[in-house]
Amino acid sequence: EDEACTDAKLKQVLGKLEAAEDMGDENDDSEAEDEDDPFEFMGDGEFGSLEGQRPSPFYHIDELDMLRQTLQQAPPALQQQVESCLGCSLQHWTSELSAE
């Protein structure tokens, strides 16, 4: 039951992300012109004004903790595949992440 709820939430979030990406495609032409100077938006040497912008709904998420939890809940076959790519055990790798 918890898995079904988690899967439904993941699908909902992915749907929202895909919808946001689709909306971003409309401005591709104007973005191509801005690629010449990636820091043009910074203005007075700061990272630009965030006034009027909504904070990201993902602002308060600890990505490393989320990755750690996901890997711990992954099927053993996937864990083995990740370990072979990393070249070490998941426990060792997650402990190194926690230390940083």
Side-chain angles (χ1 to χ4, degrees):
E1 196 172 299
D2 290 333
E3 275 188 59
C5 183
T6 302
D7 288 345
K9 286 180 183 180
L10 287 172
K11 288 179 182 177
Q12 181 183 10
V13 170
L14 288 174
K16 288 180 181 180
L17 288 172
E18 288 173 356
E21 288 175 3
D22 290 343
M23 290 174 42
D25 290 343
E26 295 173 2
N27 296 328
D28 284 346
D29 295 336
S30 62
E31 290 177 9
E33 296 170 7
D34 295 338
E35 290 179 6
D36 295 337
D37 186 3
F39 300 104
E40 185 174 338
F41 69 94
M42 294 174 73
D44 300 336
E46 297 184 15
F47 286 104
S49 173
L50 296 178
E51 289 181 34
Q53 291 185 6
R54 295 184 308 168
S56 169
F58 302 110
Y59 180 75
H60 298 286
I61 294 177
D62 181 352
E63 295 91 351
L64 293 177
D65 187 49
M66 186 67 70
L67 175 62
R68 188 178 305 109
Q69 289 176 18
T70 302
L71 289 173
Q72 288 173 347
Q73 295 172 3
L78 178 63
Q79 289 181 1
Q80 289 176 346
Q81 187 176 12
V82 170
E83 286 178 343
S84 69
C85 290
L86 293 173
C88 64
S89 73
L90 282 177
Q91 288 179 332
H92 178 74
W93 187 68
T94 55
S95 67
E96 285 184 7
L97 286 178
S98 298
E100 290 182 13

